[in-house]
Amino acid sequence: MEETSGSEPISTRLERIATLARQVRTPLTTLAHHIDLEWLREAHRRTRKDGARGVDGQSADEYATHLEDNLRSLLERAKSGTYRAPPVRRAYIPKDKGEMRPLGIPTFEDKVLQRAVAMVLEAVYEEEFLDCSYGFRPGRSAHDALDALGREAYKMGGGWLIEVDIRKYFDSIDHGRLREVLRGRIRDGVIERLIGKWLNAGVLEEGAVRRSDSGSPQGGVVSPVLSNIFLHEVLDVWFRRDVLPRLRGRGHLVRYADDAVMLFEHEEDARRVMAVLPQRMGKYGLTLHPEKTRLVAFNRPGSGKGDGGEGSDKPGTFNFLGFTFHWGKGFQGKWWVKARTASDRFSRSLRSISEWCRAHRHEPLEAQQQALNAKLRGHYGYYGRKGNRERLWAMLHWVTRTWHRWLSRRSQRGLSWAVMNLLLRRYPLLGPSSWRPA
C-alpha cells in the first residue's frame, strides 16, 4: 500500500514536485523537505530486497528488523549533513571471452536513501527529458525505442545515420561537469550534498578504498537518473537546440541510456554532425569509440542512393539495443525496416546457455527443462519482435543441440538423437509458436 503524509499519497506529492518543475523554470531550491519518514518508507518499499550485501554486511531482512528506528536515524543524518556515504563493495562476474565485469554493491541503507533522492530527481526531470530518450524512464522501454527508430527510419526512407558509442560512458562522467548540469535545475543544499557524497564514496577492493573524479556512483540506485540527466544535456538538448535548426533535411535522435542513433535525411547533414560530434562530447569530458561510432547509409533499396560506395545500391545495416536493423520485403513485396537479433547477442545468449548446461548436466532432467524454458522465455520476451521469427527458431534449434551435447557427456555411452527425441517429448523445450508474453 502506498504510504501517505496525513491523507496525501506519495503519488500526489510526486505530482506536486512535477507541477513545480513545470511552472518554475529557474533552479529549484526547496526540494529536500519532501523527503520525510513517509517518503523513506516508500523508498524502502521500492528498493530491491534480494541484492548482495554491501561493505557493512547487512541484509535487507536485518535492516527491516528495526525498520522504523533505522529510517528515523537515516532521515536525521541525511538532513543534518552527518550521513556518510559508505564505499561500495567491488565484486566481479564473468563476461565474454573469459573477462570479468566489475560490479559495485552499495549497502542496503545507502540504496534506500539513493532511492529517496532518485524519486525527487525523477519527478523534476521527467518534465525536462525529451521524447527522444527512453532509458530508465517510467512508462518507457527498450522496445519503445526500437519501435520509434524503426518507424522514423521507414518514414524517412532510410537516410543516413550515426551509431553513437560513448567509450566507457558510466565510468567517464566528469563529476564537476555533472554538478554544473544539475545546478542548472536543482540547487537544494541537502540534495546536492548527498549526491556529492555518493560521487566521492569510492570503491572498496582488496581492503583499500579507491576514489575517482569521474564515473556515476558504482551500482547506485541514483546512477541511472544521474547518467540520464547528464546525457540529456550533452546530447538530447544539443541535438534539438543546435543540430536540428541547421539541417537541410529532416533529422531524428533516439537514445536509450548511453546507446543512441541519429538519423538524417541527407548525407551532407549526417557528415557535418559526425564531424562536430567528437568536439561536443569532448566539451563534457566524454570520448567516442573510434570503431563503434560510425556513419551508415541506410537508404531504401531501389532508391538509387546506394550505400555511399562504388555506386552500389545495397543499403547498410546498423545495430541498436541488441538488434540489427535492415531492409526486408514483406509478404506483398514491399520494403520494410526490420530488426533481427544481432549476431553478437545471439552468440552471447547461446554461449551462456551452453555454460549453464555444462555446469548443470547432472541435475534431474525436469529441473534442467524448467531452467532452459525460463531462459528461452526470457529470450523470446525481449527478442520476440515482428520480423525476427527466424532467429527465434534458430535459438530453439541451437539450444536443443547444446542440451543434447551436454547430456551426451553424462556417460561414456553418449546419447543418440533417437533417445534425445524421446526425452524431448517428455521434457519439451519452449518454442516461439507456443510462447506467449506473461
Side-chain angles (χ1 to χ4, degrees), residues 285-303:
L286 302 173
T287 57
L288 296 172
H289 194 291
E291 298 174 0
K292 296 180 180 180
T293 299
R294 64 191 188 109
L295 184 66
V296 180
F298 193 66
N299 294 290
R300 181 187 291 114
S303 64

Side-chain angles (χ1 to χ4, degrees), residues 33-68:
H33 69 278
H34 292 283
I35 302 177
D36 56 15
L37 191 58
E38 289 75 17
W39 193 277
L40 285 183
R41 289 195 191 109
E42 176 64 12
H44 173 268
R45 188 187 69 80
R46 297 187 184 190
T47 302
R48 285 185 54 182
K49 312 298 190 298
D50 59 350
R53 304 184 186 209
V55 295
D56 62 355
Q58 189 176 47
S59 69
D61 290 340
E62 291 167 349
Y63 191 82
T65 302
H66 303 286
L67 182 60
E68 289 300 301

Side-chain angles (χ1 to χ4, degrees), residues 85-140:
V88 301
R89 181 171 67 85
R90 172 72 81 211
Y92 291 88
I93 59 173
K95 193 181 174 183
D96 292 340
K97 301 177 181 178
E99 299 179 0
M100 302 296 287
R101 180 190 301 275
L103 293 180
I105 304 172
T107 65
F108 181 76
E109 181 177 69
D110 204 48
K111 292 179 184 178
V112 172
L113 186 56
Q114 287 195 34
R115 174 62 65 193
V117 172
M119 287 162 59
V120 175
L121 295 178
E122 289 166 355
V124 172
Y125 276 94
E126 270 303 305
E127 305 305 316
E128 306 292 319
F129 291 150
L130 305 180
D131 284 342
C132 62
S133 70
Y134 293 85
F136 308 123
R137 294 184 60 186
R140 292 185 163 222

Side-chain angles (χ1 to χ4, degrees), residues 283-346:
K283 179 180 177 181
Y284 289 86
L286 302 173
T287 57
L288 296 172
H289 194 291
E291 298 174 0
K292 296 180 180 180
T293 299
R294 64 191 188 109
L295 184 66
V296 180
F298 193 66
N299 294 290
R300 181 187 291 114
S303 64
K305 299 178 182 178
D307 64 356
E310 303 300 326
S312 170
D313 196 35
K314 182 180 178 180
T317 64
F318 66 94
N319 292 340
F320 185 60
L321 299 181
F323 287 85
T324 296
F325 281 75
H326 63 101
W327 285 98
K329 284 189 176 181
F331 291 116
Q332 298 179 346
K334 186 177 181 180
W335 288 104
W336 295 94
V337 175
K338 297 185 175 183
R340 62 175 179 264
T341 309
S343 297
D344 61 337
R345 295 295 185 91
F346 187 93

Side-chain angles (χ1 to χ4, degrees), residues 138-174:
R140 292 185 163 222
S141 68
H143 281 213
D144 292 329
L146 292 164
D147 289 341
L149 182 55
R151 186 168 55 249
E152 290 298 326
Y154 176 78
K155 286 166 55 179
M156 205 175 290
W160 292 74
L161 61 90
I162 299 173
E163 286 184 86
V164 181
D165 189 288
I166 305 173
R167 183 182 296 211
K168 297 182 178 180
Y169 171 64
F170 295 99
D171 295 329
S172 303
I173 299 174
D174 182 88

Side-chain angles (χ1 to χ4, degrees), residues 6-7 21 31 79 81 93 102 115-116 151 181 223-224 230 262 276 301 309 335 343 373 375 388 395 415 423 432 436:
S7 59
L31 291 170
K79 292 296 184 70
I93 59 173
R115 174 62 65 193
R151 186 168 55 249
V181 170
S223 290
F230 197 56
M262 296 177 176
V276 300
W335 288 104
S343 297
N373 280 341
K375 294 177 184 297
N388 196 34
M395 174 56 64
L415 183 69
L423 289 177
R436 292 292 183 272

